[in-house]
Amino acid sequence: MDRLSPLLERFRVQAQLFHEGPLCGITHFDARPGRAFLHVLRQGQMELRHPARSGLPRRQRLTEPTLIFYPQPWVHDFHNAPEDGSDFLCATVEFEGGEITLWCAHCHRWWCCPCTR
């Protein structure tokens, strides 16, 4: 058994896929209490942006398949060239126990992890 399984058994997680396919131009994601985001850049390139003074990197250029996870609510934007053809999966994630469970409060603000590693 892996180390993550006992944690997921204790804190139930529900994910809802809301987008699959290309995103072009600017896509804005609002921060809403109790909602986390999981994104997968499956192919293409994009620039991920965070608001000034958020404590997160202002701009992050992604050029390879990447998993992006925000366990806490954070505003973020994807900037894609209309002809780029970037391909995404996007889902909201809700944790049993309300707005932000204890383990989310102690998580990193976000994870950005290339899928090739």
Side-chain angles (χ1 to χ4, degrees):
M1 180 183 285
D2 62 273
R3 288 186 259 170
L4 186 58
S5 292
L7 182 67
L8 292 177
E9 287 175 12
R10 181 167 178 189
F11 296 104
R12 302 279 180 207
V13 178
Q14 180 177 353
Q16 179 73 39
L17 182 69
F18 67 88
H19 180 82
E20 179 179 9
L23 287 174
C24 296
I26 299 172
T27 306
H28 177 77
F29 299 93
D30 281 324
R32 291 193 187 146
R35 184 174 69 178
F37 280 106
L38 176 66
H39 305 288
V40 179
L41 171 62
R42 296 192 294 189
Q43 68 179 20
Q45 300 181 30
M46 72 153 193
E47 186 173 272
L48 175 61
R49 294 186 185 178
H50 300 107
R53 297 182 300 280
S54 67
L56 300 174
R58 183 82 174 106
R59 294 174 185 220
Q60 175 92 23
R61 185 85 185 139
L62 304 177
T63 59
E64 61 185 323
T66 304
L67 178 121
I68 307 154
F69 180 53
Y70 293 88
Q72 300 178 32
W74 290 102
V75 171
H76 55 287
D77 297 312
F78 292 168
H79 291 250
N80 304 61
E83 66 279 349
D84 184 20
S86 295
D87 188 31
F88 292 90
L89 289 174
C90 298
T92 55
V93 180
E94 294 181 16
F95 299 93
E96 183 180 278
E99 193 171 307
I100 299 176
T101 62
L102 181 60
W103 81 273
C104 278
H106 291 89
C107 285
H108 291 282
R109 294 178 180 190
W110 74 308
W111 285 301
C112 186
C113 203
C115 296
T116 56
R117 293 184 188 168

